[in-house]
mmCIF file of all heavy atoms in Angstrom:
data_model
loop_
_atom_site.group_PDB
_atom_site.id
_atom_site.type_symbol
_atom_site.label_atom_id
_atom_site.label_comp_id
_atom_site.label_asym_id
_atom_site.label_seq_id
_atom_site.Cartn_x
_atom_site.Cartn_y
_atom_site.Cartn_z
ATOM 1 N N GLN A 1 -97.353 47.609 125.298
ATOM 2 C CA GLN A 1 -96.225 46.662 125.494
ATOM 3 C C GLN A 1 -96.707 45.436 126.247
ATOM 4 O O GLN A 1 -97.391 45.480 127.243
ATOM 5 C CB GLN A 1 -95.134 47.354 126.320
ATOM 6 C CG GLN A 1 -94.503 48.524 125.604
ATOM 7 C CD GLN A 1 -93.382 48.081 124.607
ATOM 8 O OE1 GLN A 1 -93.186 46.835 124.350
ATOM 9 N NE2 GLN A 1 -92.669 49.022 124.114
ATOM 10 N N ALA A 2 -96.274 44.216 125.770
ATOM 11 C CA ALA A 2 -96.585 42.996 126.487
ATOM 12 C C ALA A 2 -95.886 42.979 127.841
ATOM 13 O O ALA A 2 -94.855 43.674 128.055
ATOM 14 C CB ALA A 2 -96.065 41.809 125.646
ATOM 15 N N ALA A 3 -96.506 42.332 128.803
ATOM 16 C CA ALA A 3 -95.945 42.246 130.127
ATOM 17 C C ALA A 3 -94.918 41.153 130.146
ATOM 18 O O ALA A 3 -94.969 40.174 129.412
ATOM 19 C CB ALA A 3 -97.108 41.878 131.166
ATOM 20 N N LYS A 4 -93.935 41.370 131.087
ATOM 21 C CA LYS A 4 -92.987 40.290 131.348
ATOM 22 C C LYS A 4 -93.051 40.013 132.864
ATOM 23 O O LYS A 4 -92.878 40.870 133.668
ATOM 24 C CB LYS A 4 -91.543 40.723 130.923
ATOM 25 C CG LYS A 4 -91.349 40.830 129.503
ATOM 26 C CD LYS A 4 -89.810 41.136 129.123
ATOM 27 C CE LYS A 4 -89.563 41.086 127.692
ATOM 28 N NZ LYS A 4 -88.175 41.382 127.405
ATOM 29 N N ILE A 5 -93.341 38.749 133.218
ATOM 30 C CA ILE A 5 -93.678 38.384 134.587
ATOM 31 C C ILE A 5 -92.943 37.095 134.918
ATOM 32 O O ILE A 5 -92.926 36.109 134.231
ATOM 33 C CB ILE A 5 -95.154 38.117 134.698
ATOM 34 C CG1 ILE A 5 -96.014 39.360 134.335
ATOM 35 C CG2 ILE A 5 -95.573 37.691 136.127
ATOM 36 C CD1 ILE A 5 -97.493 39.157 134.200
ATOM 37 N N ARG A 6 -92.215 37.114 136.094
ATOM 38 C CA ARG A 6 -91.615 35.930 136.652
ATOM 39 C C ARG A 6 -92.630 35.286 137.641
ATOM 40 O O ARG A 6 -93.337 35.966 138.383
ATOM 41 C CB ARG A 6 -90.357 36.267 137.414
ATOM 42 C CG ARG A 6 -89.575 35.042 137.835
ATOM 43 C CD ARG A 6 -88.252 35.445 138.561
ATOM 44 N NE ARG A 6 -88.512 35.827 139.918
ATOM 45 C CZ ARG A 6 -87.974 36.874 140.513
ATOM 46 N NH1 ARG A 6 -87.125 37.669 139.801
ATOM 47 N NH2 ARG A 6 -88.195 37.240 141.760
ATOM 48 N N ILE A 7 -92.632 33.987 137.598
ATOM 49 C CA ILE A 7 -93.584 33.231 138.460
ATOM 50 C C ILE A 7 -92.869 32.302 139.449
ATOM 51 O O ILE A 7 -92.020 31.457 139.073
ATOM 52 C CB ILE A 7 -94.563 32.355 137.693
ATOM 53 C CG1 ILE A 7 -95.305 33.171 136.593
ATOM 54 C CG2 ILE A 7 -95.471 31.596 138.493
ATOM 55 C CD1 ILE A 7 -96.160 32.401 135.613
ATOM 56 N N ASP A 8 -93.109 32.589 140.745
ATOM 57 C CA ASP A 8 -92.512 31.738 141.810
ATOM 58 C C ASP A 8 -93.653 31.017 142.515
ATOM 59 O O ASP A 8 -94.735 31.647 142.765
ATOM 60 C CB ASP A 8 -91.738 32.538 142.784
ATOM 61 C CG ASP A 8 -90.495 33.137 142.151
ATOM 62 O OD1 ASP A 8 -90.598 34.287 141.591
ATOM 63 O OD2 ASP A 8 -89.413 32.508 142.217
ATOM 64 N N VAL A 9 -93.477 29.750 142.851
ATOM 65 C CA VAL A 9 -94.499 28.985 143.652
ATOM 66 C C VAL A 9 -93.842 28.443 144.872
ATOM 67 O O VAL A 9 -92.830 27.717 144.748
ATOM 68 C CB VAL A 9 -95.173 27.878 142.832
ATOM 69 C CG1 VAL A 9 -96.209 27.105 143.602
ATOM 70 C CG2 VAL A 9 -95.816 28.437 141.556
ATOM 71 N N ASP A 10 -94.347 28.730 146.044
ATOM 72 C CA ASP A 10 -93.788 28.252 147.304
ATOM 73 C C ASP A 10 -92.289 28.590 147.423
ATOM 74 O O ASP A 10 -91.509 27.751 147.854
ATOM 75 C CB ASP A 10 -94.073 26.758 147.506
ATOM 76 C CG ASP A 10 -95.518 26.462 147.607
ATOM 77 O OD1 ASP A 10 -96.258 27.326 148.179
ATOM 78 O OD2 ASP A 10 -95.979 25.385 147.241
ATOM 79 N N GLY A 11 -91.926 29.799 146.946
ATOM 80 C CA GLY A 11 -90.550 30.190 147.101
ATOM 81 C C GLY A 11 -89.576 29.659 146.056
ATOM 82 O O GLY A 11 -88.409 29.991 146.116
ATOM 83 N N ARG A 12 -90.052 28.949 145.113
ATOM 84 C CA ARG A 12 -89.254 28.414 144.084
ATOM 85 C C ARG A 12 -89.610 28.927 142.750
ATOM 86 O O ARG A 12 -90.792 28.970 142.342
ATOM 87 C CB ARG A 12 -89.426 26.847 144.063
ATOM 88 C CG ARG A 12 -88.529 26.138 143.040
ATOM 89 C CD ARG A 12 -88.643 24.619 143.212
ATOM 90 N NE ARG A 12 -87.794 23.995 142.190
ATOM 91 C CZ ARG A 12 -87.748 22.640 142.085
ATOM 92 N NH1 ARG A 12 -88.431 21.852 142.950
ATOM 93 N NH2 ARG A 12 -86.969 22.070 141.182
ATOM 94 N N GLN A 13 -88.672 29.413 141.906
ATOM 95 C CA GLN A 13 -88.943 30.034 140.643
ATOM 96 C C GLN A 13 -89.348 28.864 139.703
ATOM 97 O O GLN A 13 -88.666 27.861 139.615
ATOM 98 C CB GLN A 13 -87.689 30.686 140.065
ATOM 99 C CG GLN A 13 -87.873 31.258 138.669
ATOM 100 C CD GLN A 13 -86.704 31.999 138.134
ATOM 101 O OE1 GLN A 13 -86.367 33.051 138.698
ATOM 102 N NE2 GLN A 13 -86.086 31.479 137.141
ATOM 103 N N ARG A 14 -90.523 29.082 139.091
ATOM 104 C CA ARG A 14 -91.033 28.069 138.115
ATOM 105 C C ARG A 14 -91.040 28.575 136.701
ATOM 106 O O ARG A 14 -90.961 27.705 135.779
ATOM 107 C CB ARG A 14 -92.528 27.732 138.541
ATOM 108 C CG ARG A 14 -92.670 26.993 139.852
ATOM 109 C CD ARG A 14 -91.995 25.658 139.690
ATOM 110 N NE ARG A 14 -92.135 24.815 140.932
ATOM 111 C CZ ARG A 14 -91.719 23.610 141.120
ATOM 112 N NH1 ARG A 14 -91.041 23.020 140.089
ATOM 113 N NH2 ARG A 14 -91.897 22.909 142.231
ATOM 114 N N LEU A 15 -91.075 29.876 136.491
ATOM 115 C CA LEU A 15 -91.029 30.439 135.173
ATOM 116 C C LEU A 15 -90.240 31.751 135.219
ATOM 117 O O LEU A 15 -90.700 32.653 135.885
ATOM 118 C CB LEU A 15 -92.397 30.636 134.551
ATOM 119 C CG LEU A 15 -92.527 30.737 133.066
ATOM 120 C CD1 LEU A 15 -91.930 29.581 132.376
ATOM 121 C CD2 LEU A 15 -94.004 30.899 132.648
ATOM 122 N N ALA A 16 -89.071 31.775 134.588
ATOM 123 C CA ALA A 16 -88.207 32.931 134.693
ATOM 124 C C ALA A 16 -88.780 34.139 134.002
ATOM 125 O O ALA A 16 -88.722 35.305 134.446
ATOM 126 C CB ALA A 16 -86.855 32.671 134.114
ATOM 127 N N GLU A 17 -89.562 33.889 132.855
ATOM 128 C CA GLU A 17 -90.090 35.036 132.135
ATOM 129 C C GLU A 17 -91.259 34.553 131.275
ATOM 130 O O GLU A 17 -91.060 33.811 130.453
ATOM 131 C CB GLU A 17 -89.043 35.668 131.208
ATOM 132 C CG GLU A 17 -89.520 36.948 130.493
ATOM 133 C CD GLU A 17 -88.440 37.508 129.620
ATOM 134 O OE1 GLU A 17 -88.262 37.091 128.466
ATOM 135 O OE2 GLU A 17 -87.710 38.398 130.096
ATOM 136 N N LEU A 18 -92.455 35.134 131.670
ATOM 137 C CA LEU A 18 -93.617 34.916 130.875
ATOM 138 C C LEU A 18 -93.968 36.202 130.104
ATOM 139 O O LEU A 18 -94.172 37.223 130.775
ATOM 140 C CB LEU A 18 -94.776 34.505 131.720
ATOM 141 C CG LEU A 18 -96.202 34.462 130.997
ATOM 142 C CD1 LEU A 18 -96.227 33.385 129.993
ATOM 143 C CD2 LEU A 18 -97.291 34.205 132.114
ATOM 144 N N ILE A 19 -93.928 36.179 128.765
ATOM 145 C CA ILE A 19 -94.240 37.368 127.991
ATOM 146 C C ILE A 19 -95.754 37.202 127.545
ATOM 147 O O ILE A 19 -96.045 36.262 126.853
ATOM 148 C CB ILE A 19 -93.356 37.501 126.735
ATOM 149 C CG1 ILE A 19 -91.843 37.521 127.208
ATOM 150 C CG2 ILE A 19 -93.642 38.757 125.992
ATOM 151 C CD1 ILE A 19 -90.889 37.611 126.068
ATOM 152 N N CYS A 20 -96.598 38.133 127.918
ATOM 153 C CA CYS A 20 -97.984 37.805 127.765
ATOM 154 C C CYS A 20 -98.793 39.176 127.930
ATOM 155 O O CYS A 20 -98.247 40.244 128.237
ATOM 156 C CB CYS A 20 -98.439 36.952 128.897
ATOM 157 S SG CYS A 20 -98.061 37.607 130.570
ATOM 158 N N ASP A 21 -100.093 39.048 127.696
ATOM 159 C CA ASP A 21 -101.002 40.197 128.007
ATOM 160 C C ASP A 21 -101.245 40.146 129.481
ATOM 161 O O ASP A 21 -101.582 41.231 130.124
ATOM 162 C CB ASP A 21 -102.344 40.003 127.272
ATOM 163 C CG ASP A 21 -102.249 40.475 125.874
ATOM 164 O OD1 ASP A 21 -101.206 41.099 125.493
ATOM 165 O OD2 ASP A 21 -103.213 40.312 125.158
ATOM 166 N N GLY A 22 -101.199 38.938 130.145
ATOM 167 C CA GLY A 22 -101.462 38.917 131.576
ATOM 168 C C GLY A 22 -101.460 37.457 132.024
ATOM 169 O O GLY A 22 -101.076 36.506 131.283
ATOM 170 N N VAL A 23 -101.816 37.237 133.294
ATOM 171 C CA VAL A 23 -101.852 35.927 133.935
ATOM 172 C C VAL A 23 -102.918 35.949 135.077
ATOM 173 O O VAL A 23 -103.123 37.048 135.661
ATOM 174 C CB VAL A 23 -100.444 35.501 134.420
ATOM 175 C CG1 VAL A 23 -99.991 36.463 135.480
ATOM 176 C CG2 VAL A 23 -100.408 34.053 134.824
ATOM 177 N N LEU A 24 -103.451 34.839 135.337
ATOM 178 C CA LEU A 24 -104.452 34.844 136.434
ATOM 179 C C LEU A 24 -104.416 33.503 137.259
ATOM 180 O O LEU A 24 -103.913 32.563 136.772
ATOM 181 C CB LEU A 24 -105.875 35.054 135.853
ATOM 182 C CG LEU A 24 -106.498 33.913 134.999
ATOM 183 C CD1 LEU A 24 -107.211 32.836 135.794
ATOM 184 C CD2 LEU A 24 -107.581 34.485 134.000
ATOM 185 N N ILE A 25 -104.872 33.644 138.483
ATOM 186 C CA ILE A 25 -105.170 32.488 139.300
ATOM 187 C C ILE A 25 -106.696 32.588 139.718
ATOM 188 O O ILE A 25 -107.156 33.640 140.136
ATOM 189 C CB ILE A 25 -104.251 32.503 140.594
ATOM 190 C CG1 ILE A 25 -102.840 32.380 140.209
ATOM 191 C CG2 ILE A 25 -104.710 31.427 141.510
ATOM 192 C CD1 ILE A 25 -101.913 32.327 141.398
ATOM 193 N N ALA A 26 -107.348 31.492 139.552
ATOM 194 C CA ALA A 26 -108.777 31.429 139.831
ATOM 195 C C ALA A 26 -109.071 30.454 141.007
ATOM 196 O O ALA A 26 -108.371 29.517 141.221
ATOM 197 C CB ALA A 26 -109.604 31.054 138.594
ATOM 198 N N THR A 27 -110.188 30.715 141.724
ATOM 199 C CA THR A 27 -110.731 29.762 142.619
ATOM 200 C C THR A 27 -111.448 28.676 141.771
ATOM 201 O O THR A 27 -111.753 28.881 140.586
ATOM 202 C CB THR A 27 -111.709 30.407 143.528
ATOM 203 O OG1 THR A 27 -112.856 30.887 142.854
ATOM 204 C CG2 THR A 27 -111.053 31.545 144.335
ATOM 205 N N PRO A 28 -111.756 27.542 142.357
ATOM 206 C CA PRO A 28 -112.601 26.592 141.590
ATOM 207 C C PRO A 28 -113.898 27.157 141.166
ATOM 208 O O PRO A 28 -114.313 26.961 139.985
ATOM 209 C CB PRO A 28 -112.790 25.407 142.618
ATOM 210 C CG PRO A 28 -111.549 25.438 143.517
ATOM 211 C CD PRO A 28 -111.256 26.900 143.597
ATOM 212 N N ALA A 29 -114.613 27.897 142.064
ATOM 213 C CA ALA A 29 -115.839 28.548 141.636
ATOM 214 C C ALA A 29 -115.634 29.522 140.487
ATOM 215 O O ALA A 29 -116.497 29.695 139.652
ATOM 216 C CB ALA A 29 -116.439 29.225 142.864
ATOM 217 N N GLY A 30 -114.505 30.184 140.487
ATOM 218 C CA GLY A 30 -114.209 31.204 139.446
ATOM 219 C C GLY A 30 -113.544 30.583 138.236
ATOM 220 O O GLY A 30 -113.341 31.315 137.236
ATOM 221 N N SER A 31 -113.323 29.303 138.216
ATOM 222 C CA SER A 31 -112.594 28.660 137.072
ATOM 223 C C SER A 31 -113.485 28.603 135.804
ATOM 224 O O SER A 31 -112.992 28.483 134.751
ATOM 225 C CB SER A 31 -112.148 27.285 137.436
ATOM 226 O OG SER A 31 -113.198 26.368 137.602
ATOM 227 N N THR A 32 -114.799 28.804 135.965
ATOM 228 C CA THR A 32 -115.623 28.859 134.831
ATOM 229 C C THR A 32 -115.894 30.248 134.214
ATOM 230 O O THR A 32 -116.679 30.456 133.315
ATOM 231 C CB THR A 32 -117.105 28.288 135.170
ATOM 232 O OG1 THR A 32 -117.661 28.997 136.230
ATOM 233 C CG2 THR A 32 -116.932 26.822 135.664
ATOM 234 N N ALA A 33 -115.246 31.244 134.833
ATOM 235 C CA ALA A 33 -115.367 32.645 134.410
ATOM 236 C C ALA A 33 -114.291 33.043 133.543
ATOM 237 O O ALA A 33 -114.031 32.533 132.445
ATOM 238 C CB ALA A 33 -115.592 33.533 135.667
ATOM 239 N N TYR A 34 -113.522 34.087 133.912
ATOM 240 C CA TYR A 34 -112.408 34.617 133.117
ATOM 241 C C TYR A 34 -111.412 33.486 132.761
ATOM 242 O O TYR A 34 -110.898 33.467 131.668
ATOM 243 C CB TYR A 34 -111.735 35.750 133.863
ATOM 244 C CG TYR A 34 -110.759 36.604 133.085
ATOM 245 C CD1 TYR A 34 -110.602 36.451 131.721
ATOM 246 C CD2 TYR A 34 -110.086 37.604 133.644
ATOM 247 C CE1 TYR A 34 -109.731 37.268 130.930
ATOM 248 C CE2 TYR A 34 -109.219 38.454 132.928
ATOM 249 C CZ TYR A 34 -108.998 38.239 131.576
ATOM 250 O OH TYR A 34 -108.165 39.039 130.868
ATOM 251 N N ASN A 35 -111.134 32.618 133.781
ATOM 252 C CA ASN A 35 -110.230 31.566 133.488
ATOM 253 C C ASN A 35 -110.591 30.700 132.327
ATOM 254 O O ASN A 35 -109.771 30.318 131.494
ATOM 255 C CB ASN A 35 -110.082 30.717 134.785
ATOM 256 C CG ASN A 35 -109.328 29.448 134.560
ATOM 257 O OD1 ASN A 35 -108.087 29.484 134.495
ATOM 258 N ND2 ASN A 35 -110.023 28.318 134.582
ATOM 259 N N LEU A 36 -111.876 30.353 132.222
ATOM 260 C CA LEU A 36 -112.314 29.564 131.123
ATOM 261 C C LEU A 36 -112.192 30.252 129.817
ATOM 262 O O LEU A 36 -111.832 29.722 128.774
ATOM 263 C CB LEU A 36 -113.828 29.127 131.356
ATOM 264 C CG LEU A 36 -114.439 28.235 130.336
ATOM 265 C CD1 LEU A 36 -113.612 26.969 130.118
ATOM 266 C CD2 LEU A 36 -115.870 27.886 130.618
ATOM 267 N N SER A 37 -112.552 31.552 129.817
ATOM 268 C CA SER A 37 -112.376 32.367 128.624
ATOM 269 C C SER A 37 -110.969 32.512 128.145
ATOM 270 O O SER A 37 -110.700 32.601 126.905
ATOM 271 C CB SER A 37 -112.906 33.800 128.824
ATOM 272 O OG SER A 37 -114.301 33.777 129.172
ATOM 273 N N ALA A 38 -110.021 32.351 129.055
ATOM 274 C CA ALA A 38 -108.555 32.385 128.763
ATOM 275 C C ALA A 38 -108.058 30.968 128.400
ATOM 276 O O ALA A 38 -106.836 30.783 128.330
ATOM 277 C CB ALA A 38 -107.796 32.984 129.830
ATOM 278 N N HIS A 39 -109.042 30.065 128.240
ATOM 279 C CA HIS A 39 -108.681 28.649 127.902
ATOM 280 C C HIS A 39 -107.988 27.932 129.061
ATOM 281 O O HIS A 39 -107.193 26.959 128.872
ATOM 282 C CB HIS A 39 -107.771 28.574 126.655
ATOM 283 C CG HIS A 39 -108.354 29.343 125.480
ATOM 284 N ND1 HIS A 39 -109.466 28.940 124.760
ATOM 285 C CD2 HIS A 39 -107.895 30.470 124.870
ATOM 286 C CE1 HIS A 39 -109.735 29.787 123.849
ATOM 287 N NE2 HIS A 39 -108.815 30.769 123.847
ATOM 288 N N GLY A 40 -108.315 28.330 130.299
ATOM 289 C CA GLY A 40 -107.832 27.583 131.490
ATOM 290 C C GLY A 40 -108.818 26.458 131.788
ATOM 291 O O GLY A 40 -109.902 26.412 131.301
ATOM 292 N N PRO A 41 -108.368 25.463 132.601
ATOM 293 C CA PRO A 41 -109.197 24.297 132.914
ATOM 294 C C PRO A 41 -110.295 24.659 133.922
ATOM 295 O O PRO A 41 -110.067 25.515 134.834
ATOM 296 C CB PRO A 41 -108.197 23.335 133.522
ATOM 297 C CG PRO A 41 -107.134 24.213 134.142
ATOM 298 C CD PRO A 41 -107.059 25.451 133.243
ATOM 299 N N ILE A 42 -111.420 23.978 133.856
ATOM 300 C CA ILE A 42 -112.436 24.017 134.847
ATOM 301 C C ILE A 42 -112.073 23.120 135.941
ATOM 302 O O ILE A 42 -111.629 21.969 135.771
ATOM 303 C CB ILE A 42 -113.842 23.661 134.301
ATOM 304 C CG1 ILE A 42 -114.260 24.711 133.218
ATOM 305 C CG2 ILE A 42 -114.888 23.545 135.347
ATOM 306 C CD1 ILE A 42 -115.492 24.261 132.425
ATOM 307 N N VAL A 43 -112.195 23.569 137.221
ATOM 308 C CA VAL A 43 -111.704 22.803 138.397
ATOM 309 C C VAL A 43 -112.943 22.474 139.314
ATOM 310 O O VAL A 43 -113.656 23.364 139.730
ATOM 311 C CB VAL A 43 -110.706 23.563 139.185
ATOM 312 C CG1 VAL A 43 -110.239 22.820 140.398
ATOM 313 C CG2 VAL A 43 -109.500 23.927 138.324
ATOM 314 N N PRO A 44 -113.145 21.190 139.549
ATOM 315 C CA PRO A 44 -114.277 20.834 140.487
ATOM 316 C C PRO A 44 -114.032 21.417 141.882
ATOM 317 O O PRO A 44 -112.873 21.606 142.340
ATOM 318 C CB PRO A 44 -114.222 19.331 140.551
ATOM 319 C CG PRO A 44 -113.531 18.943 139.280
ATOM 320 C CD PRO A 44 -112.529 20.044 138.949
ATOM 321 N N LEU A 45 -115.106 21.658 142.609
ATOM 322 C CA LEU A 45 -114.919 22.258 143.955
ATOM 323 C C LEU A 45 -114.129 21.481 144.914
ATOM 324 O O LEU A 45 -113.377 21.951 145.738
ATOM 325 C CB LEU A 45 -116.339 22.522 144.565
ATOM 326 C CG LEU A 45 -117.193 23.594 144.010
ATOM 327 C CD1 LEU A 45 -118.448 23.727 144.810
ATOM 328 C CD2 LEU A 45 -116.420 24.961 144.096
ATOM 329 N N SER A 46 -114.215 20.117 144.810
ATOM 330 C CA SER A 46 -113.562 19.225 145.735
ATOM 331 C C SER A 46 -112.121 18.921 145.345
ATOM 332 O O SER A 46 -111.454 18.132 146.064
ATOM 333 C CB SER A 46 -114.364 17.933 145.838
ATOM 334 O OG SER A 46 -114.437 17.269 144.574
ATOM 335 N N ALA A 47 -111.616 19.520 144.262
ATOM 336 C CA ALA A 47 -110.302 19.109 143.799
ATOM 337 C C ALA A 47 -109.129 19.663 144.584
ATOM 338 O O ALA A 47 -107.977 19.166 144.394
ATOM 339 C CB ALA A 47 -110.142 19.555 142.286
ATOM 340 N N ASN A 48 -109.278 20.669 145.463
ATOM 341 C CA ASN A 48 -108.214 21.299 146.121
ATOM 342 C C ASN A 48 -107.110 21.782 145.187
ATOM 343 O O ASN A 48 -105.927 21.707 145.491
ATOM 344 C CB ASN A 48 -107.590 20.313 147.100
ATOM 345 C CG ASN A 48 -108.529 20.018 148.238
ATOM 346 O OD1 ASN A 48 -109.395 20.812 148.651
ATOM 347 N ND2 ASN A 48 -108.446 18.717 148.842
#
């Protein structure tokens, strides 16, 4: 079964329902790993 996930950022709901296999948050150093394979953006170290 696909997952259903609500996403809140800084206490504010940003996405009521994401239907997906999953979701991730990466560090800048980790943005070239699983994040990149999932078609996420590469983030420079200094980007904050």
Side-chain angles (χ1 to χ4, degrees):
Q1 295 277 8
K4 290 187 176 181
I5 303 171
R6 188 180 77 224
I7 301 175
D8 295 88
V9 180
D10 293 330
R12 181 175 179 181
Q13 180 176 293
R14 290 297 182 177
L15 199 57
E17 182 180 87
L18 172 65
I19 305 176
C20 58
D21 279 353
V23 65
L24 68 84
I25 296 181
T27 65
S31 68
T32 60
Y34 193 5
N35 172 72
L36 181 59
S37 298
H39 308 291
I42 295 175
V43 178
L45 285 183
S46 59
N48 292 331

